[in-house]
Amino acid sequence: MCTSVIKRDFTVVIPFSFIFICVISSTACFAVCSRNTFGNQCEYQCHCANGDVCDPVLGICPGPCDSGFFGPACQYYASTFKPIKRIGPGLAWLFDNDDKTCNDGRTDTITVLLDTPHPITWIRVVANDSIQPDHFQLAFQNTSRREMRWPCPNPQTSRIDGKTMDILCKTPVAIRFLTVSGLGVLSLCSLHISAGRNVALNQATSQNSDYLNQHSKNAVDGRLDDSDDPKSQESTCSVTVPTACDDGTYGPGCSQSCYVHCAGDTNTCHHITGECHLGCDPGFYGLACQNACDGGTYGPGCSQPCNEHCAGDNNTCDHISGECHQGCDPGFHGLACQNACDDGTYGPGCSQPCNVHCAGDTNICDHISGECLLGCDPRFYGLACQNESISRSSEQKVAIIGGSCAGIIVVIIIINIVSVIL
């Protein structure tokens, strides 16, 4: 029984058979899918490694993708390619389909030849070190002449995690050579080039004849080995398939809104998984940007550590701005405690003035302890010049006064003795 209907259709024409015309309908409803399909109409095929079962709604695999597939829900065919030079030990890691074997840091530029030229839409890079959007540059060629190479004019990036990033760069023509260069190549482990995805799986079909057992259902079973008759590629079959969700929505019936923290003005995300196309707003991470940065990080990609001078044992700060939650350690100020106290002040909140007896015109002192950096003015001593010493002339005056007092006392005593005798 149908519980939801897809609202819009469009028609495309694909090669199928020279004898009959087949029409694929798009009646859409939620269905109980077999173990290797998913979606509202089971219209997508799972491509999980090791025969793993994918999520029946979103198609997410519990582990890695099957060989030859990658990307959101393992739905994208990975274009095959070869290096322009013979593979040596230094490049074997690029072709072993293993994200754990990586570049040894000896090359920062790689050029590959696509086995089948096609327009480029996006690629995925996986590294063994933290990567940033400016760590990769793409360039394209249609011939082997390097002078005919042109760069990607306006790449858009989406960080999946700290070591995985998608780069969107659409080319208007089929590409033969792709060059990837930059700092990120030094730690590159895998390069996936999208060759498209199946958009017409398990749709209902019909046909007006049955020639040489060429059935219309073979066009939508997700297999490429059904046709035995080369003539079957000479005519056409009309296929009607549901369109993707509008920007800003995803999931079953396009009923879910992309997270508000997807980067970009329209918060666009993948229409099946909800993965944000352009990465996350500063302060958030995750495929759908659903998580705020952990307490010790902030900013774009949660790549910035909170300042070590944030007060508290864990140096926590605001996940967007980096403002320290508990203020600053003594000797520092600013929202992120990024500044040492100005000359002339020190301590908590930079609220203490340096001692006026610190030497120098500006009485400068250490911004944390208050210790005078140029020593003390005359007659003063101590780390902060807080103690005053007694001068030699003062000691002499004290001695004279002391001696005079003692003399007076002796005279008084003598006078008292004489008075008693008399």
Side-chain angles (χ1 to χ4, degrees):
M1 178 180 294
C2 290
T3 58
S4 177
V5 177
I6 295 177
K7 295 179 291 186
R8 299 184 315 280
D9 298 323
F10 68 91
T11 299
V12 296
V13 177
I14 60 174
F16 190 70
S17 173
F18 78 108
I19 290 295
F20 61 85
I21 297 296
C22 71
V23 178
I24 301 178
S25 64
S26 63
T27 304
C29 63
F30 293 108
V32 178
C33 299
S34 63
R35 68 187 307 271
N36 67 336
T37 60
F38 72 98
N40 296 350
Q41 298 176 277
C42 307
E43 71 269 32
Y44 301 111
Q45 191 171 28
C46 297
H47 300 290
C48 304
N50 306 315
D52 289 341
V53 178
C54 69
D55 182 279
V57 176
L58 298 180
I60 297 174
C61 294
C65 300
D66 201 2
S67 178
F69 295 88
F70 76 104
C74 299
Q75 284 296 288
Y76 290 83
Y77 292 94
S79 183
T80 57
F81 53 82
K82 60 177 67 72
I84 58 173
K85 296 181 180 179
R86 184 178 63 85
I87 299 178
L91 278 181
W93 54 269
L94 188 60
F95 302 90
D96 61 5
N97 199 35
D98 186 352
D99 289 346
K100 296 181 180 178
T101 58
C102 308
N103 189 359
D104 58 8
R106 288 187 291 180
T107 179
D108 63 357
T109 301
I110 293 173
T111 299
V112 297
L113 171 64
L114 275 63
D115 291 340
T116 302
H118 62 80
I120 299 294
T121 54
W122 66 285
I123 71 169
R124 173 167 288 186
V125 290
V126 182
N128 64 359
D129 200 1
S130 179
I131 52 179
Q132 299 294 333
D134 60 352
H135 285 183
F136 293 91
Q137 291 82 47
L138 306 184
F140 311 106
Q141 296 169 240
N142 283 330
T143 72
S144 59
R145 297 171 57 188
R146 294 186 60 184
E147 62 269 21
M148 301 300 292
R149 180 183 300 173
W150 74 91
C152 175
N154 185 31
Q156 295 178 310
T157 59
S158 173
R159 281 175 48 129
I160 307 307
D161 54 45
K163 299 180 180 180
T164 304
M165 185 168 65
D166 293 341
I167 306 174
L168 176 68
C169 188
K170 298 181 179 181
T171 63
V173 296
I175 297 301
R176 293 185 61 202
F177 297 90
L178 168 66
T179 297
V180 184
S181 60
L183 181 64
V185 177
L186 296 173
S187 60
L188 186 64
C189 302
S190 295
L191 171 65
H192 303 289
I193 304 173
S194 175
R197 58 189 289 265
N198 190 343
V199 296
L201 180 72
N202 288 343
Q203 303 294 316
T205 66
S206 63
Q207 62 194 67
N208 60 0
S209 69
D210 186 5
Y211 173 73
L212 295 178
N213 294 319
Q214 297 299 308
H215 301 290
S216 62
K217 65 181 181 180
N218 292 343
V220 293
D221 64 358
R223 298 176 57 189
L224 302 177
D225 58 353
D226 290 321
S227 177
D228 297 322
D229 185 357
K231 294 181 179 180
S232 66
Q233 303 299 321
E234 296 177 4
S235 190
T236 61
C237 165
S238 295
V239 182
T240 304
V241 296
T243 62
C245 299
D246 292 332
D247 285 347
T249 62
Y250 75 100
C254 302
S255 59
Q256 304 295 316
S257 296
C258 299
Y259 271 77
V260 296
H261 297 301
C262 289
D265 295 336
T266 56
N267 305 117
T268 58
C269 65
H270 191 272
H271 63 285
I272 299 175
T273 65
E275 179 179 335
C276 296
H277 284 155
L278 301 179
C280 302
D281 286 338
F284 296 88
Y285 72 99
L287 291 179
C289 304
Q290 71 274 26
N291 303 313
C293 297
D294 299 329
T297 60
Y298 76 98
C302 300
S303 60
Q304 302 298 315
C306 297
N307 196 299
E308 61 181 348
H309 298 300
C310 289
D313 295 335
N314 299 320
N315 305 116
T316 59
C317 65
D318 182 83
H319 62 287
I320 299 175
S321 67
E323 180 177 354
C324 297
H325 285 152
Q326 301 180 46
C328 303
D329 286 338
F332 296 89
H333 69 102
L335 292 179
C337 303
Q338 71 276 21
N339 302 314
C341 295
D342 297 330
D343 288 347
T345 62
Y346 75 99
C350 301
S351 59
Q352 303 298 316
C354 297
N355 196 301
V356 295
H357 297 299
C358 289
D361 296 336
T362 56
N363 305 119
I364 60 173
C365 64
D366 182 83
H367 62 287
I368 298 175
S369 67
E371 178 179 354
C372 296
L373 297 180
L374 301 179
C376 303
D377 288 339
R379 303 196 319 274
F380 292 89
Y381 66 97
L383 291 179
C385 303
Q386 72 275 24
N387 302 313
E388 183 177 6
S389 62
I390 299 176
S391 67
R392 186 174 184 86
S393 59
S394 297
E395 293 175 353
Q396 293 173 344
K397 290 179 182 178
V398 170
I400 293 172
I401 294 173
S404 300
C405 291
I408 293 173
I409 292 173
V410 171
V411 171
I412 293 174
I413 293 174
I414 293 174
I415 293 174
N416 287 338
I417 294 173
V418 172
S419 299
V420 172
I421 296 174
L422 297 178

